[in-house]
Amino acid sequence: MVALSDFTPEQQTEIQRTREVVAALHAELPRWELIVWTAGNVSQRVAGLDLFVIKPSGVSYDELSAETMVVCTLDGEKIDDGTPEHLRPSSDTAAHAYVYANMDRVGGVVHTHSTYATAWAARGEEIPCVLTMMGDEFGGPIPVGPFAIIGDDSIGRGIVETLKDSRSRAVLMQNHGPFTIGSDAKDAVKAAVMVEEVARTVHIARQLGDTIPIPQDKIDQLFDRYQNVYGQK
């Protein structure tokens, strides 16, 4: 088994930094009302190493800390990271691992069961791009991924297949819920917050009547401006 002691002091420092980041970001999920009880998870790739950090399975958010974050290989196997042997990684670890192993650009993955996004997933319906916010953040509609059972890398395969050629950083896994990706875990958490916001807004809009699609050329303009001009560079 790979052990924390196998890594250089500098690498161990980076692993610890990642654990602290991931632990802190888990607090954002209940803050934005994206999860209930112990559902949902955040992970982040460890820079320069074939490792990622993820929360332990079934542990209360109030009990999470950097010391309880689990370190895994890109095969989804927990390393000897100093946590108790019984502390198993999240049940979604195989999905996160498959994404990291097959999408080099991804540095963070988030999964929630946020209410409105999950409601769209239950219907197996993509969220149409009818808001400028969606054009900005996702570059088009939020796609639906295939139905898959937790336990192996089937969910991860569905995420990769759906997002590998997409500008979207979110996928609604059918009958399950949203998964988001980002350059790091914070970026993926932001996408999780935004996908729930647009899922709720578009749902409300459809109760009032027909929504108005945004033309593709305008979506392209929105996405380019937001990704390359907006904010402080």
Side-chain angles (χ1 to χ4, degrees):
M1 175 186 287
V2 177
L4 198 59
S5 58
D6 295 336
F7 297 95
T8 67
E10 292 78 12
Q11 291 171 331
Q12 291 184 42
T13 297
E14 183 60 26
I15 291 169
Q16 179 61 23
R17 186 195 70 81
T18 306
R19 295 172 90 165
E20 292 169 358
V21 167
V22 173
L25 284 170
H26 273 93
E28 297 296 312
L29 303 190
R31 175 188 174 196
W32 293 98
E33 300 182 347
L34 302 182
I35 58 96
V36 295
W37 204 239
T38 62
N41 37 70
V42 177
S43 73
Q44 179 167 297
R45 191 192 295 268
V46 179
L49 297 172
D50 289 336
L51 300 173
F52 68 97
V53 173
I54 194 166
K55 73 181 278 286
S57 178
V59 175
S60 168
Y61 277 68
D62 293 337
E63 299 174 13
L64 296 180
S65 67
E67 288 64 42
T68 60
M69 292 297 106
V70 182
V71 183
C72 296
T73 68
L74 298 192
D75 293 324
E77 298 297 323
K78 176 183 174 180
I79 72 167
D80 182 0
D81 59 5
T83 60
E85 188 174 340
H86 71 269
L87 202 63
R88 296 177 292 108
S90 166
S91 58
D92 291 303
T93 296
H96 289 241
Y98 190 86
V99 173
Y100 290 126
N102 290 276
M103 298 182 78
D104 292 340
R105 63 187 171 92
V106 174
V109 179
V110 172
H111 172 49
T112 77
H113 294 276
S114 59
T115 303
Y116 285 87
T118 301
W120 285 85
R123 298 173 58 200
E125 181 179 357
E126 72 173 20
I127 306 174
C129 190
V130 295
L131 301 169
T132 58
M133 177 189 292
M134 292 186 68
D136 288 345
E137 189 72 31
F138 300 106
I142 309 299
V144 174
F147 176 76
I149 296 292
I150 299 172
D152 58 19
D153 62 12
S154 299
I155 292 174
R157 290 177 182 274
I159 295 168
V160 171
E161 185 61 30
T162 306
L163 295 184
K164 65 180 181 180
D165 298 318
S166 175
R167 294 193 297 203
S168 177
R169 294 186 297 116
V171 54
L172 308 175
M173 293 302 287
Q174 183 184 310
N175 301 107
H176 190 170
F179 282 78
T180 58
I181 58 175
S183 58
D184 57 19
K186 184 177 181 179
D187 191 36
V189 169
K190 177 193 175 187
V193 173
M194 300 295 275
V195 74
E196 177 63 7
E197 176 65 13
V198 300
R200 182 173 67 92
T201 303
V202 177
H203 169 76
I204 293 170
R206 295 205 334 179
Q207 308 315 299
L208 301 173
D210 294 336
T211 54
I212 304 170
I214 301 175
Q216 186 61 52
D217 64 320
K218 301 303 182 187
I219 293 174
D220 294 342
Q221 290 178 33
L222 289 164
F223 186 74
D224 179 69
R225 179 200 66 87
Y226 190 74
Q227 301 300 320
N228 300 307
V229 178
Y230 176 82
Q232 304 302 315
K233 303 300 180 185

